[in-house]
Amino acid sequence: MPNLEHPAYPAADLLHLESLVPCRESQVSMLLSIFGERQQFSFPSIFIYGHTSSGKTYVMQTLLTTLQLPHVFVNCVEYFTSRLLLEEILIQLQSSSSDKEQTCPVHCDTLNDFVRLFKQAVASQELQDQTLYIVLDRAEQLREMEANILPAFLRLQELTDRNVTVVLLSEIVWELFRPNVGCFEPFTMYFPDYSIGHLQKILSQNHPPEYSADFYSAYINILLGVFYMVCRDLKELRHLAALNFAKYCEPVVRGEANERDTRKLWKNIEPHLKKAMQTVYLREISSSQWERLQHDGGEPGQLKGLSAHTHVELPYYSKFLLIAAYLASYNPVRTDKRFFLKHHGKIRKTNFMKKHEKTSNHLLGPKPFPLDRLLAILYSIVDNRVAPTANIFSQITSLVTLQLLSMVGQNDQLDGPRYKCTVSLDFIRAVAR
């Protein structure tokens, strides 16, 4: 028995829609109840929120397209100013049901111009007898625009006296949108995260035709067992499933196992899934590079490290300052003469290090250091002569702002500032490389 039923839409279209939006039938049914029939006035504004990759954009696009409802779909990140946003809505509206090509560009400088041009566009395209839906994706960007844009969209049906519904899609809650002066309250709707059962059902639909559905479903079950605790993004999981499926099938292709030998298949894929854990969300390597690594048995770190992306934009002396800060944080003060002076004289050996040789400074964490020690180490590790100019001190402040360094205690004028390095050894190795 179908889950989606509505007297205003054909049963075949609803059945097709249900197959396109698995695990979101309750949300689609709620939206159809709000929309009503084509000619009926719907709620003026609807606010849909939920975490990333919870199906908000996909469900709304699929619903409007499958049922052939007149709509305008705009991404607020792409059209980031009020003028660009209003003009794009008018352009899509004029070209949606017009057979002739648009010859004159649309100019819309103010909200009054938008209301006037919107009325003309709706009247020229004979949309008075059915609801027009304006969908604004990534609607949190509206908060950065003029103060009258968001309240106007919320009551656009009243301002234009037309059958229009504005749908706002966002990842944040409505309480972070609401203006201080008050505005029309939209109908709020929440899209929950996909559960592990939902992800299993959705990902299992993409099984290759040359393998059975049960075989691919078992593979998805193994994949989710590894990645579900650290990654619940449907797009990322779909990418990981497509990327590692060839490795899962290798024993079957070589004839060493059949599709039911789950234990052999798991032993073959387990080490490769552990390697893939290092690149979740990061995209440090391309799909072709990852497949080459799987074939050669290499490590992802052989190509790029995480820190290779984070230090590349640092200025020249900022890199040396960061290295000097790391050395000052993790090396005791008594070793500075031994490490950074060419003619440090004879160093008397003591039993101090033997007592504490089992304790690593990296386990104890970074230690604070004064500014003069940081500059002294900097002068010793830089090849050319560095003058203590305002440029050097401003770069230290920038490193603190970037949270690569942290200032410890109060900035006392007598003792001078003290800092602590907050980056890891892998980061410093990549910078020093």
Side-chain angles (χ1 to χ4, degrees):
M1 181 178 179
N3 295 322
L4 299 181
E5 295 181 355
H6 199 283
Y9 304 102
D13 293 344
L14 293 177
L15 191 62
H16 179 57
L17 176 62
E18 184 177 344
S19 65
L20 295 176
V21 288
C23 308
R24 282 290 179 256
E25 293 86 0
S26 60
Q27 286 76 20
V28 174
S29 179
M30 175 67 73
L31 288 172
L32 290 176
S33 301
I34 298 171
F35 289 174
E37 299 184 6
R38 293 175 180 270
Q39 71 278 7
Q40 293 176 339
F41 272 74
S42 181
F43 207 85
S45 53
I46 303 172
F47 181 82
I48 300 176
Y49 68 101
H51 290 153
T52 180
S53 192
S54 56
K56 304 180 297 296
T57 304
Y58 172 75
V59 167
M60 187 56 61
Q61 284 182 328
T62 307
L63 171 63
L64 297 175
T65 304
T66 304
L67 300 182
Q68 298 181 354
L69 300 174
H71 65 278
V72 172
F73 211 100
V74 182
N75 190 317
C76 296
V77 173
E78 184 178 356
Y79 302 94
F80 52 89
T81 65
S82 58
R83 178 175 178 177
L84 290 174
L85 179 62
L86 299 177
E87 289 182 352
E88 177 62 19
I89 293 174
L90 294 173
I91 290 173
Q92 289 192 28
L93 185 58
Q94 291 182 4
S95 60
S96 59
S97 60
S98 178
D99 296 333
K100 60 182 180 180
E101 295 183 0
Q102 184 181 357
T103 55
C104 57
V106 177
H107 297 287
C108 181
D109 297 324
T110 65
L111 196 59
N112 288 333
D113 293 339
F114 173 75
V115 172
R116 176 177 54 83
L117 295 173
F118 183 84
K119 289 182 178 180
Q120 294 177 2
V122 171
S124 63
Q125 297 187 16
E126 299 178 354
L127 292 174
Q128 296 93 333
D129 59 342
Q130 53 183 327
T131 307
L132 171 66
Y133 298 94
I134 299 178
V135 183
L136 302 180
D137 196 10
R138 302 293 297 274
E140 57 268 12
Q141 299 298 321
L142 294 177
R143 302 181 302 166
E144 308 297 330
M145 300 181 187
E146 288 82 351
N148 63 336
I149 294 297
L150 178 59
F153 275 121
L154 293 175
R155 55 174 67 245
L156 187 62
Q157 187 178 106
E158 176 185 343
L159 293 175
T160 60
D161 194 23
R162 295 293 186 270
N163 189 0
V164 57
T165 294
V166 177
V167 182
L168 307 177
L169 306 180
S170 178
E171 296 179 4
I172 61 178
V173 296
W174 167 246
E175 284 71 22
L176 299 177
F177 275 80
R178 186 182 289 113
N180 295 329
V181 295
C183 64
F184 183 82
E185 292 288 325
F187 179 88
T188 58
M189 186 174 178
Y190 175 60
F191 271 49
D193 291 340
Y194 288 110
S195 66
I196 188 171
H198 292 163
L199 293 173
Q200 172 82 29
K201 180 179 179 181
I202 295 171
L203 293 174
S204 298
Q205 291 182 341
N206 302 325
H207 71 90
E210 60 269 18
Y211 294 98
S212 65
D214 293 338
F215 176 69
Y216 192 76
S217 179
Y219 164 68
I220 294 298
N221 189 31
I222 292 175
L223 188 82
L224 291 176
V226 175
F227 290 102
Y228 182 73
M229 295 303 296
V230 297
C231 174
R232 303 185 183 185
D233 190 321
L234 180 59
K235 296 177 182 178
E236 186 73 20
L237 290 171
R238 184 177 281 123
H239 173 76
L240 291 169
L243 204 59
N244 296 282
F245 183 63
K247 197 68 182 178
Y248 182 75
C249 298
E250 277 187 355
V252 179
V253 174
R254 293 196 298 260
E256 299 174 357
N258 56 43
E259 293 186 0
R260 296 185 179 275
D261 291 336
T262 310
R263 184 177 179 85
K264 290 183 180 179
L265 296 173
W266 162 247
K267 283 187 175 182
N268 182 68
I269 194 66
E270 180 186 12
H272 300 279
L273 293 182
K274 288 182 178 179
K275 291 179 186 178
M277 289 279 285
Q278 303 176 23
T279 60
V280 175
Y281 292 119
L282 300 181
R283 294 289 187 273
E284 291 183 306
I285 58 178
S286 65
S287 300
S288 58
Q289 289 174 315
W290 174 250
E291 291 173 356
R292 196 180 312 122
L293 277 177
Q294 284 185 324
H295 183 267
D296 299 338
E299 293 290 337
Q302 294 174 357
L303 290 176
K304 290 183 180 179
L306 171 60
S307 52
H309 300 285
T310 50
H311 78 275
V312 69
E313 297 298 335
L314 290 178
Y316 179 74
Y317 285 115
S318 292
K319 298 179 182 180
F320 283 100
L321 281 168
L322 199 57
I323 295 172
Y326 189 86
L327 294 173
S329 281
Y330 287 96
N331 288 329
V333 180
R334 66 179 182 279
T335 61
D336 288 352
K337 186 182 295 186
R338 181 191 308 170
F339 291 152
F340 305 117
L341 286 182
K342 293 182 179 179
H343 307 288
H344 52 71
K346 186 177 295 185
I347 302 297
R348 186 175 62 181
K349 295 182 179 180
T350 64
N351 293 328
F352 180 80
M353 291 303 295
K354 291 184 179 179
K355 296 179 182 178
H356 298 81
E357 60 184 358
K358 292 184 179 180
T359 304
S360 173
N361 288 330
H362 293 91
L363 296 178
L364 299 176
K367 302 293 189 300
F369 55 86
L371 177 63
D372 54 354
R373 186 180 175 216
L374 172 66
L375 295 177
I377 296 176
L378 172 69
Y379 301 149
S380 65
I381 64 176
V382 178
D383 293 335
N384 53 345
R385 186 176 179 84
V386 182
T389 60
N391 183 29
I392 297 296
F393 294 105
S394 66
Q395 292 189 37
I396 296 176
T397 306
S398 299
L399 291 175
V400 175
T401 305
L402 294 171
Q403 298 183 355
L404 302 176
L405 299 181
S406 64
M407 187 174 292
V408 181
Q410 300 295 327
N411 191 2
D412 195 342
Q413 294 182 353
L414 295 177
D415 295 337
R418 295 175 66 83
Y419 301 93
K420 185 185 294 185
C421 186
T422 59
V423 299
S424 64
L425 178 60
D426 293 334
F427 188 101
I428 291 297
R429 279 175 175 167
V431 173
R433 205 176 284 129

